[in-house]
Amino acid sequence: MSPPKATVAPNRTLNAGSPLRGIVLKVLSVCCFVVMATLLKATETVPAGELVFFRCFFAIIPVIAYLAWRRKLRTALHTSNPLGHVLRSFIGVCSMGMGFFALTRLPLPETTAIGYAAPLLIVVFSALLLKERVHVFRWTAVLVGLVGVVIILWPRLTLFSSGAPIGNSETIGAAAALGAAVFSAFAMMQVRKLVQTERTEAIVIYFFMCASLLSLLTIPLGWVKPTPEQAVLLIGAGFAGGVGQLLLTSCYRYADMSVIAPFEYVSLILTIIIGLVVFAEVPTITMIAGALIIVASGIAVILREHYLGLDRAKSREASTP
């Protein structure tokens, strides 16, 4: 499961002539996030709030090391919108906490697939809340994708599938995974606002710092003392998440988002393999069918945006005297 991203792609790539390098970095970032999710799931008994703390606190270490190497550490904390960072962090912690809780209740690939609903929900929220114009093609793709989400969730909705009241572990996990996708969409929309005035490194470092502090508020809900094995897994997850964040930031230097974004879905293949080999989780037909529908609709939206971008660029060129 890829958690909500603390970075955002720059508006322009620095070296758009190296798309293969960008794709490789994107795939490596996906691998890091899958490793992170696997390590967190393997801790088993650690509460979600505690998972958020370790994931964010230890992710700061590789990020700070990278910024120091790039000589950007001094400017990383410069901000003109501190409250915006706090709001983004609060929304991100809610998403991350729900996502990690879902990891403890659902198979790894299922949690990952439901998380793919976030980009689709951004389209919906942007149209309803920001009054952005959404054409019929995108609405159709989004609706088809949400049908895929329903297909995945349906077996978990015991109220409909077996007549039993909602309340079992897997049903609550499914609801948490969907809630994580909703909060992730809002977090991405907040990042859209921040990127207009804030540096990428500031968005990254403030998120991890604020998220680490906010996650401490969950201590009264019951944290546990990790065993040595769990501590290694938690710290490793934090480092993997931090490295994944850096790779994600770097990949957009070499290729446009429309080229790189579809490779996010490599995580589905990886989580199915890991879920089967590590956790003995056999994917169901409904999970695979729903995931493929979500992936197809997501790629359709990405490609549509790419073609619209090309059309807009041609229009600008044609209108230039």
Side-chain angles (χ1 to χ4, degrees):
M1 184 195 83
S2 300
K5 309 302 187 292
T7 60
V8 66
N11 293 329
R12 294 182 179 179
T13 53
L14 301 184
N15 187 359
S18 304
L20 181 59
R21 182 179 297 183
I23 291 170
V24 170
L25 291 173
K26 173 64 176 181
V27 172
L28 289 175
S29 75
V30 169
C31 291
C32 285
F33 288 126
V34 170
V35 168
M36 178 201 74
T38 302
L39 295 176
L40 292 176
K41 185 174 179 62
T43 60
E44 294 183 344
T45 59
V46 178
E50 193 171 352
L51 295 179
V52 173
F53 172 79
F54 277 93
R55 183 265 185 266
C56 294
F57 182 80
F58 286 97
I60 296 176
I61 298 174
V63 170
I64 288 179
Y66 175 77
L67 293 177
W69 176 62
R70 293 292 302 273
R71 297 183 179 179
K72 292 184 176 181
L73 190 57
R74 185 172 297 180
T75 62
L77 296 179
H78 290 178
T79 178
S80 59
N81 189 5
L83 292 180
H85 288 288
V86 174
L87 176 61
R88 182 268 179 274
S89 299
F90 175 78
I91 299 171
V93 166
C94 290
S95 174
M96 199 177 287
M98 288 184 175
F100 292 167
F101 177 82
L103 270 178
T104 66
R105 299 294 190 273
L106 296 176
L108 181 59
E110 193 167 317
T111 307
T112 302
I114 296 173
Y116 292 154
L120 303 176
L121 292 171
I122 288 179
V123 176
V124 177
F125 297 151
S126 296
L128 298 179
L129 302 178
L130 303 181
K131 306 303 179 182
E132 291 185 4
R133 187 177 180 183
V134 178
H135 295 283
V136 174
F137 182 91
R138 277 206 295 170
W139 274 123
T140 303
V142 167
L143 291 175
V144 170
L146 294 179
V147 168
V149 175
V150 172
I151 290 173
I152 296 174
L153 292 176
W154 193 261
R156 305 300 184 189
L157 301 179
T158 55
L159 179 65
F160 303 104
S161 61
S162 65
I166 292 180
N168 67 35
S169 178
E170 292 183 345
T171 301
I172 295 174
L178 185 58
V182 171
F183 275 101
S184 178
F186 281 117
M188 292 178 193
M189 292 172 65
Q190 178 64 15
V191 170
R192 278 184 182 179
K193 295 181 181 179
L194 286 174
V195 75
Q196 297 175 11
T197 59
E198 303 296 297
R199 294 174 179 268
T200 301
E201 55 266 28
I203 296 174
V204 172
I205 201 72
Y206 272 111
F207 172 71
F208 285 142
M209 290 171 58
C210 293
S212 298
L213 292 174
L214 288 171
S215 64
L216 295 177
L217 298 177
T218 65
I219 290 178
L221 300 179
W223 280 26
V224 299
K225 181 179 179 180
T227 65
E229 293 80 8
Q230 287 176 325
V232 170
L233 293 173
L234 291 168
I235 294 172
F239 271 87
V243 173
Q245 213 78 58
L246 294 173
L247 291 170
L248 181 68
T249 304
S250 299
C251 74
Y252 292 109
R253 297 173 182 272
Y254 302 102
D256 293 331
M257 181 180 289
S258 59
V259 175
I260 291 174
F263 289 89
E264 174 70 29
Y265 299 115
V266 171
S267 60
L268 180 61
I269 300 173
L270 295 176
T271 53
I272 288 176
I273 295 172
I274 291 175
L276 188 61
V277 174
V278 178
F279 302 109
E281 298 170 342
V282 180
T284 63
I285 297 298
T286 53
M287 192 286 295
I288 294 176
L292 291 177
I293 292 173
I294 298 170
V295 170
S297 63
I299 292 177
V301 170
I302 292 167
L303 293 178
R304 178 64 173 173
E305 287 303 297
H306 175 64
Y307 289 131
L308 288 176
L310 293 177
D311 289 340
R312 285 191 289 265
K314 290 178 181 178
S315 298
R316 285 194 298 270
E317 290 174 2
S319 62
T320 302

